[in-house]
Amino acid sequence: MCSMRVFAVAAAVITVTATSAQAACQNTGNFNAWLKDFKAEAASQGISRRTINAALNGVTYDKRVVAYDRKKAVFTQAFLKFSGRMVNKSRLNRGRKLIKQNASTFRRIERQYGVPAPVLTAFWGLETDFGAVQGKFSTIRSLATLAYDCRRPELFRPQLIDALRIVERGDLALEDMVGAWAGELGQTQFLPSDYMETAVDFDGDGRRDLKRSTADALASSAALIRNFGWQAGQPWIEEVRLTKAIDWSEADLAIAHPRSQWASWGIVRANGKALRKDGTRAALLLPMGRKGPAFLAYDNFRNVYLKWNESLLYSTTAAYFATRLAGARPVTRGTADGTGLDLKQTKQLQRALQSRGFDVGDIDGILGAGTRKAVKAMQVKYGMPADSWPTPELLRRLR
Ligand code: CA
């Protein structure tokens, strides 16, 4: 399920036409015949006839949903620009206010699940603007469409069954099954299967209502985050400063060192004070290369954030937002602004890397994990600082 959360987020994204073979698949067979078969399957899985008929009778195929799904929703901006927009003054103020207003709920949640208020509040703000923007698509219709559609039926069929279970169980009424286009529901955009497996009734009214109950939505998010492997009382990311050049190839989410090691390489806290020299594991995250902002990414970041949303840009922004809500200063901008490549240049870079045998995935202009890895390998080969951040200079040399 985790990788699917990438579809969530009411936040601004640009869409790129999908180029994979899946996107070009053709639907064969009639939707109504498919629906009849699906109803039989739902009944065989123990959903009552009453719920099946109430939810699925007269449901139609939604072309808009398929159109969304055949585009790839991606975040393309560089970290400083994206986080500047997402973590703006009004979101920060609103987040801080809501943490105060819900202080006793947050305390109870942290006691039970170990996840602190700023972490939950940042996701809450990014996903739905704290519950205000939850989506307007019929969940049942969206999921029936995606479960019928040829592209990824195996992913959405179980989601549709679980959506019926949510209604059957009485957590949400059928008319409340309204949310994002890919079936996510509630204040922190849960997919129905996460909802069924993980959601909790935290306000004690007997229903798990992630739409209207802030307590239910936040505690359920905490339960999900704990299940991803959150370690209570541990940090997630921390902005740092580099006082000298290091071996840039060490700046890689896949490489963790004890904090004492980073300290010995001249890395200090953002305020210039020394890092605690202990064994806490961390990776060095340079979202815009060596001239941009720098963070130590602790195990909570590496284990949890990328499961909530597989986009590194979204994850870094959510984690940074949480640090701001916890009292951190605005990020140091560095001098990385303007040193990166635009969408067209990134596509040229991807083609050049692909022709050298690197697997960069689709030529989509998106700086994802595959492209970063290939960039790093080429930087090593050319003897350039291997910080995985592509520059016009690297593009020139590849040509
Ligand atoms: Ca409840």
Side-chain angles (χ1 to χ4, degrees):
M1 79 93 241
C2 351
S3 61
M4 287 184 52
R5 289 204 71 97
V6 77
F7 300 126
V9 189
V13 294
I14 75 144
T15 55
V16 177
T17 306
T19 51
S20 67
Q22 276 179 324
C25 71
Q26 287 293 322
N27 285 317
T28 54
N30 170 289
F31 179 76
N32 287 324
W34 174 87
L35 192 61
K36 199 174 156 214
D37 282 351
F38 182 84
K39 285 177 172 177
E41 189 198 326
S44 78
Q45 294 213 25
I47 315 277
S48 73
R49 275 287 163 197
R50 195 165 150 249
T51 298
I52 291 171
N53 289 334
L56 294 174
N57 282 0
V59 163
T60 53
Y61 182 77
D62 190 344
K63 271 192 228 157
R64 294 171 309 160
V65 168
V66 174
Y68 272 109
D69 192 47
R70 305 239 164 154
K71 296 187 166 194
K72 248 170 130 181
V74 284
F75 310 103
T76 55
Q77 291 157 350
F79 169 73
L80 281 171
K81 196 167 175 195
F82 185 75
S83 64
R85 240 169 75 210
M86 296 293 127
V87 189
N88 55 43
K89 211 177 229 172
S90 85
R91 273 219 181 105
L92 277 166
N93 288 340
R94 182 118 178 84
R96 287 177 187 129
K97 207 166 138 193
L98 285 164
I99 288 176
K100 275 191 199 137
Q101 275 172 11
N102 296 281
S104 69
T105 303
F106 278 121
R107 259 198 307 278
R108 274 209 303 142
I109 291 174
E110 184 164 8
R111 258 203 310 275
Q112 193 160 336
Y113 300 102
V115 184
V119 168
L120 297 168
T121 304
F123 283 129
W124 189 23
L126 289 181
E127 295 288 340
T128 65
D129 251 330
F130 312 106
V133 187
Q134 298 188 28
K136 290 184 173 162
F137 284 83
S138 154
T139 306
I140 300 287
R141 189 183 182 202
S142 285
L143 290 172
T145 298
L146 292 165
Y148 161 77
D149 186 63
C150 57
R151 206 172 148 208
R152 285 163 309 162
E154 69 289 348
L155 224 57
F156 289 104
R157 217 177 157 92
Q159 297 292 341
L160 181 55
I161 294 273
D162 281 327
L164 297 177
R165 287 196 176 112
I166 290 170
V167 176
E168 179 106 331
R169 201 176 177 279
D171 286 328
L172 290 179
L174 192 52
E175 59 269 25
D176 287 334
M177 299 293 283
V178 176
W181 67 266
E184 300 96 336
L185 284 161
Q187 299 192 25
T188 50
Q189 302 278 278
F190 267 50
L191 277 162
S193 296
D194 291 333
Y195 205 121
M196 277 311 295
E197 280 165 29
T198 313
V200 293
D201 169 27
F202 208 66
D203 61 12
D205 71 349
R207 297 165 57 224
R208 305 180 299 175
D209 183 349
L210 305 195
K211 285 182 82 86
R212 291 195 187 84
S213 167
T214 295
D216 288 6
L218 294 174
S220 299
S221 304
L224 188 65
I225 288 168
R226 185 190 60 182
N227 291 353
F228 287 155
W230 186 267
Q231 298 165 32
Q234 295 298 311
W236 51 100
I237 61 170
E238 174 184 10
E239 197 197 346
V240 290
R241 275 208 342 237
L242 285 69
T243 58
K244 55 187 181 192
I246 63 164
D247 173 0
W248 299 108
S249 67
E250 296 285 351
D252 188 323
L253 267 191
I255 301 173
H257 290 297
R259 188 154 49 186
S260 53
Q261 178 71 71
W262 296 115
S264 76
W265 286 334
I267 292 181
V268 298
R269 300 179 63 192
N271 61 10
K273 293 190 174 146
L275 282 172
R276 195 185 298 172
K277 295 179 187 63
D278 63 12
T280 307
R281 285 154 44 88
L284 180 60
L285 174 59
L286 304 175
M288 296 178 71
R290 68 194 190 283
K291 292 178 181 166
F295 298 96
L296 283 188
Y298 295 100
D299 283 351
N300 273 340
F301 180 81
R302 304 193 308 139
N303 295 340
V304 171
Y305 274 83
L306 291 166
K307 289 181 191 149
W308 183 283
N309 189 308
E310 66 185 9
S311 155
L312 181 61
L313 182 57
Y314 174 95
S315 293
T316 308
T317 299
Y320 165 64
F321 188 4
T323 63
R324 295 295 311 280
L325 291 171
R329 308 272 309 152
V331 66
T332 312
R333 300 189 66 85
T335 55
D337 272 346
T339 63
L341 303 182
D342 63 20
L343 190 83
K344 199 173 141 209
Q345 290 171 316
T346 306
K347 283 186 186 174
Q348 291 169 356
L349 172 86
Q350 287 174 322
R351 271 188 219 102
L353 292 169
Q354 196 181 54
S355 71
R356 282 165 175 77
F358 289 102
D359 178 13
V360 295
D362 293 339
I363 305 296
D364 53 10
I366 311 305
L367 187 59
T371 304
R372 275 180 179 264
K373 208 170 155 185
V375 164
K376 183 174 169 180
M378 292 314 298
Q379 288 171 327
V380 169
K381 188 177 164 196
Y382 292 141
M384 296 168 72
D387 61 1
S388 309
W389 179 248
T391 55
E393 192 203 342
L394 177 68
L395 186 57
R396 267 195 307 277
R397 295 186 70 164
L398 280 167
R399 287 191 189 123

